[in-house]
Amino acid sequence: MVDSEVTLNNIEVTILKNLDITTPVGFDELIKSTSLGLDQIRRGVEWLKYKELIVVDDKTEFFYELDSNGIYSLYNGLPERRLINSILDGKKNISEVLSDKKIGPSEINIAIAKAKLNGWIKLETNGQFEIIHHNKSIQSDEEILINKINKYKIPKNELSNLDLITLKKLLKRPKFIKEVEEKIFFYTISEKGLDLLKENEDIPKESKLTVELLSTGNWKNVSFSKLDVQAPVPISYPGKKHPLTDLIDEIRHAFISLGFTEIEGDLVQSSFWNFDALFTPQDHAAREMQDTFYIQNLVETENPDSTLIQNVSQSHKLGWNYEWKIEDSRRSVLRTHTTPVTLKYLSDVKPDEAKIFTIGRVFRNEKVSYKHLVEFNQIEGIVTGKDVTLRDLMGIQKEFYSKLGIKKIMFWPTFFPYTEPSLQTMIYNDNLEKWVELFGMGIFRPEVTKPLNIPNPVLAWGGGIERIAMLRYGLNDVRDLYTNDMNWLRNLTKCL
Ligand code: PHE
């Protein structure tokens, strides 16, 4: 009885038709008799084997092919041939032959031995070669066999008894002949395959719906071969977005779904916006060259207006009690965080209320390690309004993290020059089994908001996206996100 679920496609039918129930047919024979392509047969027999419609046998066969010295000799002659040619050219002894450079020092002994064995030459006691008998047009057995094997591998069973004797001699020479072992596959059709083929042959089948079938209406009269939608297929790896880009998109959606609006800012900022307006004193450790990339010869990206400069300078003088220098504030930096972007927005727009976020690259002059990169991505959010409080800030964090599937979080007091109070979120990394720091946050100090005339309190937070990516993808080394390991990228599940 034939399993009615099993269907055959055209390739399978063609292969089955060319198989016998008793005599095994080889792969190469199938190519000839079916006129199918190599890959079609490969796939076809895999499907048929899987459905148990054919029986596959294999046998190991030996082949011989030329190795490097064999190939060289094919084109330039065996060493003994090159020797005799050199003698015929007038070279009389070993040193003359060697100076001819057609034979290497490592070949000279074998060349002499073989030429003597072939009865071509004699070596006199005075070291001179003498030709005994030689006919240029007669090849030695070894030369004949090398030509026979030529560039292709030859199966052992195509070699005559004489060939096999000669082969032994050639195999003794280093790197002349390679013995290759190969598995040859043979196929016979199974009982089940035979039944299904018979059943299948009764009805003529069309494999494709053509324009002609459609326009003539003939599609109504023909029957189509069934498609086996569960047939195994080769795995394909379609192009997809990088996991980090996916995460950035997801974060963007999380913000938007919470009612935030995205803004963008420049990668190059003046120290004024990156540090000074954020009440970071000019001798602060973060402003040192070891931590920050300064851009040479690019003094100003944007001139803040003089009242702004006046106010910020005043704020530093009062708050930190030192002489604030305008030159330092003019130096351009690759932004070390995204906070200048939101701060500048607040200073330009001075909104009474706003929910804003930004995402982008930041740069820090740090030693690269499993947890540090010199270039990474940050997100930054702010909420401003008349009555916003620290509780709101913590609530927003909770909501935001839970949208990304992070539930285990806690808040920890910390310090930033521009916020008071300042907090840090810690989230639990199940992989590392420990709490890790995530975002920094706080309420902008009056020393920051007053000089810029920002009307209401501002809740602000920011932090690295790669950290979240490590959690999400179970990585212990942040560099793994940038090494383009194809295996990892291909096999990473798109939807978690
Ligand atoms: N800018 C801080 C950082 O890069 C994070 C932060 C943003 C802290 C806003 C407080 C307020 O780590």
Side-chain angles (χ1 to χ4, degrees), residues 337 339 364 378 380 416 418-419 440-442 460-462:
H337 53 176
T339 318
R364 290 191 191 166
Q378 267 200 344
E380 186 86 22
F416 295 103
Y418 34 95
T419 47
M441 68 197 68
W461 65 97

Side-chain angles (χ1 to χ4, degrees), residues 222-490:
V222 296
S223 76
F224 291 93
S225 55
K226 288 183 192 164
L227 285 177
D228 181 356
V229 290
Q230 287 178 335
V233 289
I235 302 171
S236 66
Y237 296 105
K240 58 181 179 185
K241 281 191 194 163
H242 191 278
L244 196 60
T245 312
D246 271 340
L247 184 64
I248 289 174
D249 286 345
E250 196 182 323
I251 288 173
R252 182 170 279 128
H253 280 121
F255 267 118
I256 289 169
S257 71
L258 290 169
F260 283 73
T261 305
E262 185 171 5
I263 58 166
E264 276 181 33
D266 296 336
L267 296 182
V268 176
Q269 298 278 341
S270 64
S271 292
F272 182 86
W273 287 111
N274 196 79
F275 297 122
D276 295 290
L278 282 160
F279 197 52
T280 306
Q282 293 188 324
D283 63 355
H284 192 278
R287 297 180 70 146
E288 309 249 321
M289 293 263 252
Q290 306 88 278
D291 293 305
T292 300
F293 291 111
Y294 285 90
I295 301 184
Q296 254 176 14
N297 305 331
L298 184 64
V299 176
E300 239 156 341
T301 39
E302 206 174 320
N303 256 333
D305 76 45
S306 55
T307 27
L308 263 190
I309 294 179
Q310 197 62 45
N311 293 351
V312 168
S313 152
Q314 201 56 29
S315 170
H316 278 243
K317 250 182 234 161
L318 284 173
W320 298 114
N321 193 21
Y322 73 106
E323 216 36 58
W324 185 83
K325 288 206 249 35
I326 189 156
E327 304 80 56
D328 285 3
S329 78
R330 286 193 169 140
R331 297 175 72 194
S332 296
V333 298
L334 287 180
R335 66 184 185 195
T336 59
H337 53 176
T338 37
T339 318
V341 177
T342 46
L343 186 72
K344 198 149 170 295
Y345 170 87
L346 290 168
S347 167
D348 289 347
V349 181
K350 305 195 194 325
D352 281 328
E353 281 183 356
K355 285 159 90 179
I356 298 292
F357 75 101
T358 187
I359 303 181
R361 288 241 156 174
V362 299
F363 307 84
R364 290 191 191 166
N365 197 358
E366 277 186 279
K367 201 169 156 23
V368 174
S369 73
Y370 74 97
K371 56 175 183 172
H372 291 297
L373 294 168
V374 286
E375 213 183 311
F376 58 99
N377 292 281
Q378 267 200 344
I379 64 157
E380 186 86 22
I382 46 159
V383 171
T384 182
K386 215 161 124 274
D387 303 316
V388 294
T389 64
L390 195 68
R391 249 173 201 288
D392 296 320
L393 178 59
M394 285 158 53
I396 294 165
Q397 302 304 305
K398 262 189 159 166
E399 195 63 36
F400 175 77
Y401 291 135
S402 86
K403 282 199 182 283
L404 298 178
I406 302 168
K407 301 261 152 96
K408 240 177 170 174
I409 66 168
M410 65 178 175
F411 296 94
W412 208 250
T414 188
F415 173 80
F416 295 103
Y418 34 95
T419 47
E420 180 60 36
S422 302
L423 299 177
Q424 181 169 287
T425 14
M426 308 284 283
I427 58 176
Y428 193 72
N429 184 335
D430 290 319
N431 221 22
L432 302 173
E433 291 181 354
K434 62 178 191 191
W435 290 91
V436 291
E437 299 161 17
L438 204 63
F439 292 170
M441 68 197 68
I443 301 178
F444 278 147
R445 304 178 74 108
E447 287 89 338
V448 173
T449 48
K450 281 235 176 77
L452 307 178
N453 290 321
I454 296 165
N456 286 322
V458 182
L459 313 175
W461 65 97
I465 290 178
E466 279 78 355
R467 286 256 168 108
I468 308 180
M470 286 170 79
L471 274 180
R472 166 67 61 89
Y473 303 120
L475 302 176
N476 296 330
D477 190 328
V478 65
R479 290 168 292 196
D480 290 349
L481 287 166
Y482 291 93
T483 44
N484 290 334
D485 173 350
M486 286 309 273
N487 202 26
W488 179 68
L489 290 172
R490 280 178 167 167

Side-chain angles (χ1 to χ4, degrees), residues 40-319:
Q40 288 177 310
I41 298 190
R42 263 191 208 136
R43 263 181 280 141
V45 297
E46 279 310 308
W47 298 328
L48 291 166
K49 190 169 84 178
Y50 180 77
K51 299 176 189 171
E52 295 172 351
L53 303 177
I54 59 170
V55 179
V56 184
D57 271 320
D58 63 64
K59 174 166 115 189
T60 304
E61 265 191 24
F62 291 97
F63 293 87
Y64 296 96
E65 62 185 26
L66 298 184
D67 207 342
S68 51
N69 287 339
I71 295 170
Y72 185 82
S73 298
L74 179 72
Y75 296 113
N76 304 294
L78 283 167
E80 56 269 32
R81 175 64 64 190
R82 281 179 269 138
L83 173 66
I84 190 107
N85 285 342
S86 179
I87 299 171
L88 289 170
D89 267 359
K91 307 287 176 286
K92 293 187 208 69
N93 54 36
I94 295 183
S95 58
E96 284 184 25
V97 166
L98 284 177
S99 67
D100 207 20
K101 295 249 157 52
K102 294 205 174 95
I103 298 186
S106 63
E107 298 174 304
I108 190 78
N109 287 339
I110 183 91
I112 296 172
K114 289 280 178 179
K116 276 162 116 186
L117 260 172
N118 291 348
W120 294 344
I121 59 156
K122 210 162 86 179
L123 189 57
E124 299 286 355
T125 39
N126 62 4
Q128 302 245 330
F129 292 118
E130 193 194 317
I131 298 189
I132 311 174
H133 176 78
H134 178 258
N135 183 338
K136 244 188 160 168
S137 54
I138 298 179
Q139 288 188 308
S140 69
D141 294 343
E142 287 173 87
E143 286 176 316
I144 294 172
L145 188 59
I146 285 204
N147 279 323
K148 185 166 175 179
I149 298 175
N150 203 320
K151 279 170 251 160
Y152 311 101
K153 55 178 199 266
I154 193 165
K156 193 173 186 175
N157 59 16
E158 275 180 32
L159 294 175
S160 68
N161 283 345
L162 178 66
D163 286 339
L164 289 173
I165 294 169
T166 315
L167 183 75
K168 266 198 190 148
K169 293 192 216 163
L170 277 176
L171 280 169
K172 281 198 193 128
R173 294 182 165 210
K175 296 224 154 140
F176 269 71
I177 304 285
K178 250 193 292 195
E179 189 175 57
V180 193
E181 219 180 285
E182 245 177 49
K183 255 197 183 153
I184 311 284
F185 292 96
F186 295 93
Y187 310 96
T188 42
I189 185 166
S190 68
E191 292 281 354
K192 191 171 155 190
L194 214 54
D195 287 347
L196 195 68
L197 185 62
K198 270 196 211 120
E199 204 176 82
N200 212 70
E201 273 177 337
D202 297 342
I203 344 150
K205 296 244 159 79
E206 294 287 341
S207 63
K208 276 193 191 132
L209 187 59
T210 59
V211 175
E212 202 187 312
L213 280 174
L214 275 173
S215 59
T216 55
N218 266 348
W219 61 270
K220 285 181 216 149
N221 312 322
V222 296
S223 76
F224 291 93
S225 55
K226 288 183 192 164
L227 285 177
D228 181 356
V229 290
Q230 287 178 335
V233 289
I235 302 171
S236 66
Y237 296 105
K240 58 181 179 185
K241 281 191 194 163
H242 191 278
L244 196 60
T245 312
D246 271 340
L247 184 64
I248 289 174
D249 286 345
E250 196 182 323
I251 288 173
R252 182 170 279 128
H253 280 121
F255 267 118
I256 289 169
S257 71
L258 290 169
F260 283 73
T261 305
E262 185 171 5
I263 58 166
E264 276 181 33
D266 296 336
L267 296 182
V268 176
Q269 298 278 341
S270 64
S271 292
F272 182 86
W273 287 111
N274 196 79
F275 297 122
D276 295 290
L278 282 160
F279 197 52
T280 306
Q282 293 188 324
D283 63 355
H284 192 278
R287 297 180 70 146
E288 309 249 321
M289 293 263 252
Q290 306 88 278
D291 293 305
T292 300
F293 291 111
Y294 285 90
I295 301 184
Q296 254 176 14
N297 305 331
L298 184 64
V299 176
E300 239 156 341
T301 39
E302 206 174 320
N303 256 333
D305 76 45
S306 55
T307 27
L308 263 190
I309 294 179
Q310 197 62 45
N311 293 351
V312 168
S313 152
Q314 201 56 29
S315 170
H316 278 243
K317 250 182 234 161
L318 284 173

